[in-house]
Amino acid sequence: PHDKAGITVEQLMTHTAGLEHVHGSDDEQIGKREALERIFAQDLRFEPGTDEYYSNSGYTLLAAIIEQVTNGRFEDVLREEIFTPTGMTGTGFKGDPVPAGSDEAAGLDAEGRPVASSERGPVSWTLKGNGGVVSTVNGMLAFDRVVCSGDALPDGVVRQLPLCGDSGAFGTAGGGSEFSHTATFEKDLGRDMTLVVLSADWDFSAEDVAFAMIDSLTEGDELPAVPE
């Protein structure tokens, strides 16, 4: 559409395209065409490039662009270009079977019943590109190391990433939640410190645990006791 024709890939990646947050619930099963129609029908929150607003819909458009450029399926492209060569074992998508020899952490639904990611899928185009990936602590750490090493991206791109290099930046590189599952990825470049935390307990969210670990490592604070 005319109002969105000038949106750039960088604006989609930096949440400055003006798109709405979502275009449907995570579990609503729709195809790519329906997702694009919904996103393109949205009114922009602001003129692209003039403000910032977190948008999962923007990352769904990025997934559609990847399919357009590669002429491949988004999930297959990620497996072939990222998961396998970076050693992200145990990484896949919601609804995938659990790899042989691996355990799976179950989250809790609204009624407190355990629900595993392998039981919920496939990943819909309401979620594709902006979520639905299942991984491990080691898998997320491997991804960070490959990206920031420059092995996967051109040096000029890596230098633009605020959580790679020597800028001394500190912050959350990624996070999310699924039932009682939470995940966070914290880096302190000044101390060359990287923390990847996954949790399956709302009372000990990944972010809270990560910051408690940071305080323990940097200030000597005691870690909170975790119930059995």
Side-chain angles (χ1 to χ4, degrees):
H2 177 73
D3 63 332
K4 302 175 182 69
I7 291 175
T8 67
V9 168
E10 183 178 2
Q11 288 169 348
L12 294 175
M13 294 181 70
T14 57
H15 302 285
T16 57
L19 297 172
E20 288 292 344
H21 177 31
V22 297
H23 51 281
S25 65
D26 289 355
D27 292 321
E28 182 185 4
Q29 291 296 320
I30 64 172
K32 179 166 63 174
R33 180 183 294 274
E34 173 69 17
L36 295 179
E37 288 176 353
R38 292 185 185 185
I39 294 170
F40 290 151
Q42 295 174 352
D43 291 331
L44 291 176
R45 299 181 66 90
F46 49 81
E47 183 180 348
T50 64
D51 204 345
E52 180 180 344
Y53 180 77
Y54 188 92
S55 173
N56 281 345
S57 295
Y59 271 71
T60 293
L61 285 185
L62 289 169
I65 290 171
I66 287 172
E67 291 201 341
Q68 180 77 16
V69 171
T70 63
N71 197 31
R73 184 169 169 264
F74 177 69
E75 292 93 322
D76 294 337
V77 173
L78 261 62
R79 287 191 180 98
E80 295 167 7
E81 301 292 337
I82 298 177
F83 298 164
T84 298
T86 58
M88 295 178 68
T89 57
T91 300
F93 297 88
K94 187 172 70 171
D96 286 352
V98 181
S102 300
D103 294 324
E104 181 179 23
L108 301 178
D109 64 14
E111 284 73 42
R113 296 170 300 196
V115 180
S117 292
S118 60
E119 300 170 355
R120 304 177 63 243
V123 178
S124 170
W125 273 92
T126 57
L127 190 60
K128 199 167 294 190
N130 67 70
V133 174
V134 180
S135 191
T136 65
V137 169
N138 287 337
M140 294 176 68
L141 185 61
F143 176 75
D144 172 70
R145 286 175 172 170
V146 168
V147 168
C148 287
S149 70
D151 292 342
L153 297 169
D155 288 341
V157 174
V158 174
R159 285 195 296 269
Q160 295 180 55
L161 301 177
L163 292 179
C164 293
D166 55 2
S167 65
F170 173 82
T172 301
S177 61
E178 174 78 0
F179 291 131
S180 60
H181 283 153
T182 55
T184 195
F185 190 101
E186 309 289 341
K187 294 187 75 172
D188 186 334
L189 295 180
R191 293 186 173 94
D192 191 25
M193 182 169 62
T194 301
L195 286 88
V196 181
V197 180
L198 309 181
S199 174
D201 189 335
W202 279 125
D203 293 331
F204 287 87
S205 73
E207 189 172 74
D208 289 345
V209 172
F211 283 113
M213 291 174 68
I214 291 169
D215 290 342
S216 176
L217 291 168
T218 60
E219 306 295 335
D221 294 353
E222 290 188 13
L223 289 172
V226 179
E228 296 182 0

